[in-house]
Amino acid sequence: MRVIFVVPESSAYIKAGGLGDVAHSLAKAIKSLGHSVTVIMPRYKNIKADLKPSFTHALPFDNSINFSVFEAKKDDINYFFVSCQDFFERDHIYASPKGPYPDNALRFGLFSLISLEIMKKLSLECDIFHIHDWPTALVPLYRDLYYPEFSHVASVLTIHNAMHQGIFEAEYLPRLHIPWDLFRPFGGVEFYGKINFLKAGITFCEVLTTVSPSYAREISNYANGLEGLIREKKYFFGILNGIDTDIWNPESDRMIVANYSIKNFQRGKTKNKQHLKEIFGLKTPIQKPLIGMVSRLTSQKGLDMVEKILDEAIQEGFDFIFLGSGEEFYQEMLMGFLKSYPESVRARIEYNEELAHKIYAGSDIFLMPSIFEPCGISQMIAMRYGTVPVVSRVGGLLDTVIDYISSPEEGTGFSFDVKNRDSFMMALLRARVFYDMECCRFSKDWQEIVKRCMKRDFSWQKSAQEYERIYSIAMTLRKYGSWS
Ligand code: GLC
């Protein structure tokens, strides 16, 4: 099959969050199954890689929009980048710390249109458009409106986060080249008097997917107003994300001070913990349980919950290291934690890949108190590094972390009821009971949990095969209008 990913980000070049990781690692996994994969994404100011200029063009619908296309090849995947002075020469991808860029409708809507234009110009052969979240959700609509040459191409839309839908004022319609007759609630783009990109994507794609089975169930019940449409979608699947096990491998990771495997993790993790504490200037004794959190700083990630337990957790003997960037409100909250607990808390407000690796390797516990979590990637990485996750029971966290208390025979972490402060604190205290470290050796129980975590298989293999099956379903649907 020939698959084209149209994505707003890919960690092969730049990323803001998990979507970027998936765009990169899933593309690699699909490629390794023998399919051809091409990725089209914007060229943001902060992409520093060497890219080859390809051609310059104006949008046929509006020749005030000029764009240039650049090319690159990575992991045997062809990348095309859309460079557009007015849209992508900015410091961030979607939003500054003050909030989303006000012209996101045009930035991403027209990027989706331009992607089709590039395919046409380069006569790219293709069977599947795999599009991701609201920024590229208009691709199937534009296909149907303006690109009869791609009428055979089936589209698969993956929802990574149903909270962000790309809702904009109706006045954008003409500049997006969407006819007013599509401004209707059924079979159109209208949503409570505005345009909703995700809604358009769900309506016009052949197959809808999301990134874990539990999140698929959750958004069929509630998806900020789109749950009805999602429930009606006949072909809707929840497929768990994987992680890139080449990049995330404690045995070969060059960003950590000591490599380790399941055979020698006690020594390996202790060395990494020592190093991590040194870097962050955390002077507390090595045996104190260290909690790490690497996260985008948004309300989804549950920092409000951390605020509620922090004082008690510190009294119970935990240390904390936070790393992340995002909304100003949460950046300030982290700085506040640092100020209030200078002995036990460290925080860095930045996106830093290397520090993230060190935190995954050097922490004892990894925290994800998310309010909702479509899949979550960090908990899987943490487990691969033998760092025991403490997570809220939602979405992909529910599907990947087995609670040790309810399943002592196979538990890999500790989970708690979402948005429940006491349940959260209880999960930490439970972890505390089993965690013990003396002379660089963990207690028997903790060793067992760590080993189970490290044994879990979070590679893409199985999920990529599921996507392969879904691509076939989508192609059949496109061709025959039905699958069975
Ligand atoms: C989004 C979701 C996260 C998911 C990621 C990749 O960032 O919030 O849960 O893991 O997309 O699908």
Side-chain angles (χ1 to χ4, degrees):
M1 273 180 268
R2 295 155 303 181
V3 186
I4 297 195
F5 275 44
V6 187
V7 295
E9 52 175 299
S10 162
S11 65
Y13 292 93
I14 194 163
K15 81 166 200 197
L19 192 167
D21 291 309
V22 172
H24 181 206
S25 50
L26 176 60
K28 273 171 72 178
I30 298 290
K31 171 88 206 172
S32 73
L33 292 178
H35 305 290
S36 97
V37 184
T38 300
V39 179
I40 305 182
M41 62 184 281
R43 181 185 189 174
Y44 299 102
K45 183 171 123 187
N46 291 329
I47 295 183
K48 300 290 178 223
D50 225 1
L51 309 174
K52 196 171 119 223
S54 178
F55 65 91
T56 299
H57 198 46
L59 201 60
F61 309 87
D62 176 355
N63 53 23
S64 71
I65 308 279
N66 287 296
F67 61 91
S68 309
V69 176
F70 289 78
E71 281 176 57
K73 197 161 189 154
K74 200 170 206 171
D75 304 315
D76 220 12
I77 292 167
N78 293 318
Y79 284 83
F80 291 100
F81 296 86
V82 176
S83 167
C84 190
Q85 178 71 29
D86 292 347
F87 293 156
F88 304 125
E89 291 297 311
R90 309 195 184 172
D91 287 335
H92 302 273
I93 296 183
Y94 311 104
S96 77
K98 304 232 174 290
Y101 290 126
D103 56 349
N104 274 348
L106 295 179
R107 295 176 75 226
F108 292 106
L110 294 184
F111 163 68
S112 301
L113 186 53
I114 289 172
S115 299
L116 286 151
E117 196 53 34
I118 293 176
M119 292 179 221
K120 181 175 171 180
K121 184 109 187 7
L122 297 176
S123 312
L124 291 182
E125 305 265 357
C126 162
D127 304 302
I128 295 284
F129 295 138
H130 193 161
I131 54 176
H132 300 260
D133 271 355
W134 72 266
T136 56
L138 293 186
V139 169
L141 171 66
Y142 286 134
R143 169 200 61 189
D144 292 353
L145 281 174
Y146 301 120
Y147 293 91
E149 53 275 75
F150 296 129
S151 62
H152 65 286
V153 182
S155 48
V156 173
L157 166 63
T158 297
I159 298 182
H160 298 261
N161 189 335
M163 196 180 86
H164 301 300
Q165 302 185 350
I167 299 176
F168 305 102
E169 297 302 327
E171 285 68 50
Y172 277 110
L173 278 179
R175 291 178 71 194
L176 287 168
H177 307 284
I178 299 175
W180 279 102
D181 67 350
L182 280 173
F183 193 62
R184 54 174 189 247
F186 299 104
V189 303
E190 193 272 349
F191 184 73
Y192 297 103
K194 299 194 175 185
I195 314 169
N196 183 323
F197 279 29
L198 191 64
K199 176 176 181 178
I202 298 172
T203 304
F204 292 94
C205 74
E206 274 60 51
V207 176
L208 181 66
T209 74
T210 190
V211 289
S212 71
S214 287
Y215 192 59
R217 267 193 308 278
E218 288 169 11
I219 58 174
S220 302
N221 286 324
Y222 178 72
N224 297 69
L226 290 183
E227 54 281 350
L229 196 62
I230 292 174
R231 269 200 302 276
E232 276 167 26
K233 194 82 191 171
K234 208 162 157 204
Y235 298 97
F236 172 45
F237 304 90
I239 304 173
L240 200 62
N241 286 333
I243 55 172
D244 188 326
T245 46
D246 298 334
I247 296 177
W248 301 108
N249 184 354
E251 291 187 54
S252 56
D253 189 334
R254 296 230 192 96
M255 296 189 195
I256 62 177
V257 280
N259 290 119
Y260 57 95
S261 69
I262 197 159
K263 295 203 187 91
N264 60 358
F265 68 87
Q266 306 227 57
R267 233 178 117 235
K269 283 199 71 66
T270 309
K271 280 196 168 168
N272 282 296
K273 185 173 177 182
Q274 267 159 348
H275 178 63
L276 179 64
K277 292 183 78 162
E278 254 167 55
I279 304 179
F280 277 86
L282 202 53
K283 300 209 170 63
T284 51
I286 187 77
Q287 57 273 19
K288 280 188 80 185
L290 175 60
I291 298 183
M293 187 167 171
V294 179
S295 183
R296 272 183 300 119
L297 304 180
T298 67
S299 57
Q300 174 194 345
K301 298 295 177 178
L303 280 154
D304 302 287
M305 295 307 297
V306 177
E307 189 177 36
K308 292 194 174 124
I309 54 94
L310 193 62
D311 193 70
E312 193 178 341
I314 285 169
Q315 284 177 36
E316 291 293 341
F318 290 102
D319 288 338
F320 287 83
I321 290 185
F322 298 96
L323 172 69
S325 61
E327 290 168 21
E328 208 162 62
F329 177 78
Y330 292 104
Q331 300 192 162
E332 276 162 19
M333 183 184 277
L334 284 190
M335 287 297 116
F337 292 170
L338 190 61
K339 250 206 196 126
S340 311
Y341 306 98
E343 307 270 292
S344 308
V345 172
R346 290 292 178 273
R348 291 259 181 105
I349 308 297
E350 59 178 304
Y351 170 80
N352 186 321
E353 201 64 26
E354 184 161 343
L355 276 183
H357 282 244
K358 292 185 196 306
I359 294 174
Y360 286 118
S363 309
D364 298 304
I365 291 172
F366 194 86
L367 203 56
M368 283 184 83
S370 308
I371 306 304
F372 68 95
E373 197 59 78
C375 177
I377 292 182
S378 303
Q379 80 281 11
M380 296 191 267
I381 299 174
M383 285 188 259
R384 187 154 161 84
Y385 282 72
T387 302
V388 176
V390 170
V391 303
S392 48
R393 269 180 223 123
V394 278
L397 299 175
L398 201 59
D399 295 339
T400 51
V401 177
I402 307 169
D403 182 56
Y404 187 69
I405 301 300
S406 31
S407 307
E409 299 305 318
E410 44 174 11
T412 57
F414 298 86
S415 60
F416 60 90
D417 294 338
V418 67
K419 289 198 262 186
N420 183 329
R421 185 227 173 259
D422 292 347
S423 174
F424 183 9
M425 195 58 221
M426 195 57 82
L428 284 177
L429 292 176
R430 285 174 173 148
R432 183 83 187 83
V433 168
F434 294 102
Y435 174 89
D436 199 7
M437 192 190 189
E438 245 172 72
C439 309
C440 302
R441 285 192 72 79
F442 295 114
S443 67
K444 277 262 159 328
D445 291 320
W446 198 258
Q447 284 184 41
E448 179 58 30
I449 305 175
V450 170
K451 279 190 203 155
R452 284 180 197 166
C453 285
M454 293 184 78
K455 273 192 208 150
R456 293 290 300 273
D457 176 9
F458 292 118
S459 67
W460 267 104
Q461 186 65 23
K462 197 168 143 262
S463 300
Q465 280 164 356
E466 284 186 54
Y467 275 110
E468 193 177 38
R469 188 174 58 86
I470 278 163
Y471 292 161
S472 310
I473 296 175
M475 282 166 66
T476 314
L477 278 172
R478 186 74 195 158
K479 198 161 171 192
Y480 299 108
S482 96
W483 185 57
S484 43

